[in-house]
Amino acid sequence: MRIVSIERSPPGGTGKVVRVERPRRGLRILRDRWDVPHVYGKTRADGEFGAAYASAEDRYVFMEQLRGAGRIVALDVPGIDPFALATSGRQFVPTEATEQD
């Protein structure tokens, strides 16, 4: 993600503000009707935190999907390719035997 410019006003003309988030003091994240985040912070650190917050919120499902693949790598489960599992959209459900190891 790259921050191109800093604006002082809400998104102009192109999208109506649908949702406003304030994850911490000094930071506003406005979402337009296409769910595009517009991050406004009082300081550069606020803007960077807001960009990371919006990215994490948008990619939650993908990160949740990768958690199972991460467990497979850590457990070294034979016969299962962690990358193929992560990109297939399937969930990894460990058995009791796997959990005991």
Side-chain angles (χ1 to χ4, degrees):
M1 179 181 282
R2 194 176 80 169
I3 299 175
V4 183
S5 65
I6 298 174
E7 298 179 36
R8 294 192 180 270
S9 60
T14 58
K16 178 182 169 191
V17 175
V18 175
R19 182 168 47 128
V20 178
E21 299 173 71
R22 297 179 189 272
R24 73 179 196 184
R25 192 178 192 134
L27 174 63
R28 282 184 314 147
I29 301 174
L30 308 177
R31 297 271 183 172
D32 62 21
R33 65 182 178 184
W34 295 285
D35 207 32
V36 174
H38 301 267
V39 178
Y40 302 95
K42 288 188 176 183
T43 65
R44 180 183 177 130
D46 290 336
E48 291 171 351
F49 179 87
Y53 185 92
S55 294
E57 189 178 48
D58 290 345
R59 291 168 178 78
Y60 173 77
V61 173
F62 183 64
M63 291 189 306
E64 198 61 29
Q65 185 68 34
L66 292 179
R67 276 182 36 177
R71 288 186 72 191
I72 290 173
V73 171
L75 295 172
D76 196 23
V77 178
I80 298 179
D81 178 18
F83 183 76
L85 180 69
T87 55
S88 73
R90 295 179 296 141
Q91 289 287 330
F92 170 67
V93 181
T95 63
E96 286 186 33
T98 305
E99 291 293 320
Q100 291 175 1
D101 198 13

